[in-house]
Amino acid sequence: MFKWRRNYNFSQLMATYAVLLSTVIGLFALYMGTTTTVNDNRAIDASLTNGLDKVADQVTANAREVHELGQHLTSTSSQVKNLNKYFELNPAAYLTYSQTTSNHEAFYYLPDETLQLLMSNPTIEQVRITMSDFKTSFVADRRTPGGYKTMRRVSSRPRFQFSYPFVDNANLRGYGTLTLTYQTQTLTTALNKLNRGANLQVLALTPTGQASYHFHGREVTARSARQTVSRVQRTFGRQASGSAAFAQQYRYRTSKLADGSILVAMTDRAVVRQQQRLKNWTLGAEAVAIDVILFGGLWLTFRRYRLQLQQMIQSMALVGQGDLAVRLKVPAQSGDLKIMATGINQMLDEINTYVYQIYQLEIEQRDANMKALQSQIQPHFLYNTLEYIRMYAVAEDQNELAEVVYAFAALLRNNTDQSPTTTLAKETEFIEKYIYLYQMRFPDQIAYGLQLAPILADLTIPKFILQPLVENYFAHGIDYLRTDNVVSVKAWQDGQQRVYLQVQDNGRGMSAAQLATVQAQIKSQQMTGERTSIGLRNVYERLQGYFGEHATMTLTRNQQGGLTVMLTFVRGTTDATRHDRG
């Protein structure tokens, strides 16, 4: 299946890491690109909605204001008469007329009205009143807020203006028009501050289809703006041509106001796509640049390490072919490669020494040589060799193998130690390593627990007094068809200095008859019965021999169906005296 696992080496680790790193960065770039595009689209939709709302609010407010002013000027016949008098009379005669009728409740002085209006609303640029029966128009602006009569016609260029028609309620005949022209700087400034407002366009069409206001962001060219006005008038004006073609070119929002005005907010799809592609390409280029930098840094960082490791592997290959004279080149820099090379060279030196000894002994005495050699090989050579294997496994990132080698070496060292006693903490540590080896052999099938009261950690006990009890469980009690095998070792002390050592499992256990037989064989002076009772008898004898005849061993069947072995003895001067004698 995955053949690359069979050639698991440092170079392949670097390649795998590089591929993984590149994949992660690529996926992150893809995620960021997608997120950026989604957020960009949301921002565009928000700018369209906000731009439309701002213009709609302004248009509604302006329309309301011109309506209120028109109502104020013509709501009664007296006010209509007053307005006509302004156009009939010259300024001096109108002033005289106003002085004679100023006490009338419906009277107003037109120049004062426009003056107050322009002062109260700085966004109004011009007030114009035209009457059907007169050729002149009334105009008030910032330079002449009191107004004047003029024969000049209204400019045909698009202006942000709003009109109120004067209509005779008696015959529904129009007799004049009030027009307010507003400056657009404030509204344009507000739209320029919108997020994504640089490519935004907002167009206001009058009920007749004329453009009264057109905003375009700073990145929209004048030519494109003129084309947009024409397209909007054709699409949404009085002779609407349908919006399907318009929707292919623009993303837009529309709104129709109560007075018949139509507002359109739009942005060019081609510009949006171009900007999004540029962002995505930029993000992709940044991801590639990061990949190049990281890969280059990785290669430069591990180049010397990789070369040294390859040299060591080549040397070990020669050793594997039988050339024991080869020695690994020891790196000058301190580190794991230097430790490994030094250790392997020392091991090769010792191997050469022992090979030479074996060769000399083989010449002198072939048959007796192997037995003599086995008795002469010192245990520390085995420990060193296992340690070199463990260090090499750690360097190759084989941590599980390193742990197994370490546990086996610890068991071997403990077994070859000739001392008759040990501490309870060391005995427990030895048991843990023993169980660990079984766990490696049967993963996910064996669990264990070790509970040692801190006060008993330094307690001196006979060596191998608990290990045979655990070994008995793995030899006779464990069920390898189960996945919930558990063994626990507990040690505690009561207030009378009595120590309790308990080994408990959930294995096959024993019947009541078998327990009685084994209990009798343990206390019997004759070494008879099954093999299990021999080991238990040995533990019991050494326990009593060290702690005295008051030491006990009991075997019971627990609630889990397994076996519980309990050792008890009194901690005091007796065991200390015996320990000193030993």
Side-chain angles (χ1 to χ4, degrees):
M1 292 175 63
F2 298 100
K3 293 186 178 180
W4 62 274
R5 287 185 177 274
R6 299 177 183 176
N7 300 320
Y8 201 64
N9 53 45
F10 183 77
S11 297
Q12 200 158 35
L13 277 176
M14 289 183 60
T16 303
Y17 177 76
V19 171
L20 178 62
L21 189 64
S22 178
T23 302
V24 170
I25 294 175
L27 291 176
F28 179 74
L30 180 62
Y31 167 77
M32 290 300 297
T34 303
T35 303
T36 301
T37 300
V38 171
N39 292 337
D40 199 49
N41 289 331
R42 289 176 179 172
I44 292 172
D45 292 339
S47 70
L48 293 175
T49 302
N50 292 335
L52 201 65
D53 290 344
K54 287 183 180 296
V55 176
D57 292 343
Q58 189 64 54
V59 170
T60 302
N62 293 349
R64 184 187 306 112
E65 188 170 34
V66 70
H67 180 80
E68 291 175 354
L69 180 60
Q71 288 283 330
H72 173 67
L73 295 178
T74 62
S75 60
T76 66
S77 58
S78 298
Q79 291 173 328
V80 174
K81 179 181 178 181
N82 181 41
L83 185 60
N84 284 323
K85 285 293 183 181
Y86 179 84
F87 285 92
E88 291 174 358
L89 304 175
N90 59 45
Y94 180 68
L95 178 60
T96 302
Y97 168 78
S98 67
Q99 291 173 349
T100 60
T101 58
S102 60
N103 293 329
H104 195 276
E105 60 179 5
F107 173 78
Y108 60 83
Y109 185 62
L110 186 59
D112 283 346
E113 294 295 325
T114 57
L115 176 62
Q116 292 177 10
L117 178 65
L118 291 171
M119 291 180 63
S120 62
N121 192 340
T123 62
I124 298 177
E125 291 183 344
Q126 186 186 82
V127 181
R128 177 179 288 270
I129 300 176
T130 59
M131 302 296 288
S132 301
D133 297 336
F134 301 96
K135 295 181 179 180
T136 59
S137 299
F138 170 78
V139 176
D141 53 25
R142 292 291 166 185
R143 290 182 297 178
T144 313
Y148 59 91
K149 294 178 184 179
T150 179
M151 298 286 291
R152 185 180 299 172
R153 293 185 176 182
V154 180
S155 173
S156 61
R157 68 182 179 86
R159 305 184 71 183
F160 198 35
Q161 58 188 17
F162 298 84
S163 299
Y164 176 81
F166 298 145
V167 179
D168 188 347
N169 293 328
N171 54 21
L172 299 179
R173 184 180 65 87
Y175 60 87
T177 303
L178 167 66
T179 303
L180 297 184
T181 303
Y182 290 83
Q183 60 91 3
T184 59
Q185 181 179 357
T186 303
L187 180 58
T188 301
T189 301
L191 292 174
N192 273 321
K193 292 181 179 179
L194 289 177
N195 184 22
R196 298 307 302 269
N199 294 306
L200 177 67
Q201 297 189 67
V202 184
L203 191 65
L205 298 181
T206 64
T208 60
Q210 299 299 315
S212 62
Y213 174 71
H214 181 208
F215 165 80
H216 58 87
R218 58 183 177 275
E219 293 184 7
V220 180
T221 64
R223 180 182 178 184
S224 177
R226 289 193 298 269
Q227 293 175 349
T228 300
V229 172
S230 178
R231 289 289 302 276
V232 170
Q233 288 177 327
R234 290 197 307 269
T235 305
F236 302 100
R238 301 186 69 178
Q239 298 179 350
S241 61
S243 60
F246 188 82
Q248 292 180 356
Q249 183 176 354
Y250 297 98
R251 296 175 63 171
Y252 69 96
R253 298 282 188 277
T254 61
S255 177
K256 188 171 184 178
L257 304 183
D259 64 347
S261 299
I262 296 177
L263 307 182
V264 183
M266 73 220 80
T267 185
D268 196 319
R269 290 183 182 274
V271 174
V272 172
R273 286 193 295 267
Q274 182 180 1
Q275 291 179 345
Q276 289 178 347
R277 280 196 298 265
L278 179 60
K279 288 181 180 179
N280 290 334
W281 277 108
T282 302
L283 189 61
E286 291 175 351
V288 172
I290 292 174
D291 279 339
V292 171
I293 293 173
L294 291 178
F295 293 161
L298 181 68
W299 186 83
L300 291 176
T301 301
F302 291 100
R303 179 174 177 271
R304 182 187 296 272
Y305 188 95
R306 181 172 53 84
L307 293 176
Q308 292 176 348
L309 186 60
Q310 287 179 347
Q311 292 175 356
M312 294 176 62
I313 292 174
Q314 292 172 357
S315 299
M316 289 300 296
L318 295 176
V319 173
Q321 295 173 4
D323 189 356
L324 297 180
V326 175
R327 293 295 180 269
L328 275 62
K329 183 179 179 180
V330 180
Q333 298 83 4
S334 59
D336 51 357
L337 291 183
K338 184 175 183 179
I339 295 173
M340 183 184 296
T342 302
I344 292 177
N345 287 340
Q346 291 176 355
M347 182 179 67
L348 290 174
D349 290 339
E350 292 188 15
I351 289 175
N352 273 341
T353 300
Y354 283 106
V355 168
Y356 177 76
Q357 292 177 357
I358 292 172
Y359 176 73
Q360 292 295 328
L361 291 172
E362 193 174 43
I363 294 176
E364 296 175 359
Q365 189 179 7
R366 284 188 177 182
D367 296 334
N369 178 53
M370 295 308 295
K371 295 181 181 179
L373 183 61
Q374 290 175 2
S375 63
Q376 291 176 8
I377 294 179
Q378 298 181 5
H380 79 273
F381 167 68
L382 298 177
Y383 306 150
N384 290 341
T385 302
L386 290 172
E387 182 63 13
Y388 296 151
I389 295 173
R390 187 186 72 84
M391 290 172 60
Y392 186 78
V394 170
E396 288 296 317
D397 202 21
Q398 298 292 332
N399 295 326
E400 188 172 280
L401 176 60
E403 289 292 333
V404 171
V405 173
Y406 176 76
F408 176 71
L411 293 178
L412 183 63
R413 189 182 298 274
N414 190 73
N415 282 338
T416 55
D417 185 6
Q418 299 300 318
S419 59
T421 61
T422 184
T423 64
L424 187 56
K426 290 181 179 179
E427 180 77 357
T428 306
E429 182 180 357
F430 174 72
I431 291 172
E432 185 173 15
K433 289 182 173 60
Y434 181 82
I435 299 174
Y436 174 74
L437 291 178
Y438 271 91
Q439 281 189 320
M440 291 299 99
R441 183 180 176 189
F442 303 99
D444 302 324
Q445 288 184 257
I446 301 172
Y448 69 94
L450 302 175
Q451 295 183 13
L452 172 62
I455 194 174
L456 300 177
D458 295 328
L459 174 65
T460 302
I461 60 173
K463 198 172 182 180
F464 297 111
I465 201 171
L466 289 176
Q467 187 272 341
L469 305 181
V470 176
E471 184 179 359
N472 254 0
Y473 165 66
F474 285 105
H476 306 287
I478 192 170
D479 185 356
Y480 292 105
L481 297 178
R482 295 170 54 182
T483 59
D484 59 347
N485 296 290
V486 180
V487 61
S488 69
V489 178
K490 296 182 181 179
W492 71 92
Q493 176 180 306
D494 61 16
Q496 283 72 40
Q497 298 293 312
R498 190 163 192 84
V499 177
Y500 298 83
L501 305 181
Q502 174 186 285
V503 178
Q504 180 175 279
D505 62 69
N506 66 343
R508 296 189 179 92
M510 296 182 181
S511 64
Q514 289 175 323
L515 282 174
T517 301
V518 172
Q519 197 78 41
Q521 290 174 350
I522 292 174
K523 296 181 180 180
S524 174
Q525 297 296 326
Q526 298 179 353
M527 298 294 290
T528 61
E530 297 179 357
R531 187 177 179 183
T532 55
S533 61
I534 296 176
L536 294 174
R537 171 71 183 177
N538 182 281
V539 170
Y540 178 67
E541 287 184 350
R542 290 191 296 117
L543 186 69
Q544 285 203 326
Y546 192 82
F547 291 104
E549 58 184 9
H550 295 292
T552 65
M553 172 189 283
T554 58
L555 282 76
T556 58
R557 183 179 177 85
N558 55 47
Q559 294 180 353
Q560 291 77 28
L563 192 66
T564 300
V565 182
M566 180 72 74
L567 307 180
T568 65
F569 53 87
V570 177
R571 180 181 185 181
T573 56
T574 303
D575 58 315
T577 303
R578 292 179 181 275
H579 177 61
D580 292 338
R581 291 176 181 176

